[in-house]
Amino acid sequence: AWLADLLLTWALARRHGASQLERLADLNLGEMLYWKGDTGGALQLAERALSLQTRFSGSDAMTDDALLVARIQLTRGDREAATAARSRAGDLETPKVQALARIVDLVLARASATEWAQADKDMPAPYVELGIEFALWAARAALDRGDSAAAGKWLGRARQRAGARPAWQRQISDLAAYVGE
């Protein structure tokens, strides 16, 4: 139902020339595809949202859009494009946006296990999806450091936080193969 609603919102906004509604639909649908592991489709929508935001609202109001592009590019392994997108993020005004920026910054900095653990303590609690994503990135970072035990612990947290949410199951199962589960 959520996908049909987002697609309907996107189609209606586009038909009526409501650029901000179209942008929000692109952003939300792009984020959902990103969660589901469809980085190609997610990137196309996220870049479109960023383009609409830049064109109609100016460069000072594109934080969510730029951070989504950065996260997708990191998933795709393109650190250069992720760095460029991160640099486009405007003011980090809300706790959620600050936390998303922190994830990107930790990955780009190749942060230590201690830095990931501290950042986890600082994550805003009310954002379940953010907690899932954070744990998945922390698991990937642990794998990059060669610490499969820590990666397994972070993956367990991601599973616990995700529960039965279908949007995350592909990323969790893909990562489980790398962890050795």
Side-chain angles (χ1 to χ4, degrees), residues 90-106:
D91 293 331
L92 306 177
E93 295 178 0
T94 67
K96 180 183 175 192
V97 170
Q98 291 167 1
L100 290 170
R102 182 82 172 122
I103 291 170
V104 172
D105 293 343
L106 287 166

Side-chain angles (χ1 to χ4, degrees), residues 67-132:
L67 290 173
L68 179 57
V69 170
R71 290 159 33 229
I72 295 166
Q73 292 293 16
L74 285 171
T75 301
R76 295 166 52 101
D78 191 339
R79 296 176 68 80
E80 187 177 317
T83 300
R86 172 60 179 98
S87 71
R88 292 183 72 184
D91 293 331
L92 306 177
E93 295 178 0
T94 67
K96 180 183 175 192
V97 170
Q98 291 167 1
L100 290 170
R102 182 82 172 122
I103 291 170
V104 172
D105 293 343
L106 287 166
V107 175
L108 289 173
R110 299 187 198 282
S112 69
T114 304
E115 291 170 304
W116 279 100
Q118 182 58 50
D120 188 41
K121 292 177 187 173
D122 298 338
M123 280 289 126
Y127 302 104
V128 175
E129 305 297 338
L130 182 58
I132 299 164

Side-chain angles (χ1 to χ4, degrees), residues 25 27 56-57 70-71 89 109 112 138 158 160:
L27 183 66
F56 295 108
S57 296
R71 290 159 33 229
S112 69
Q160 180 183 21

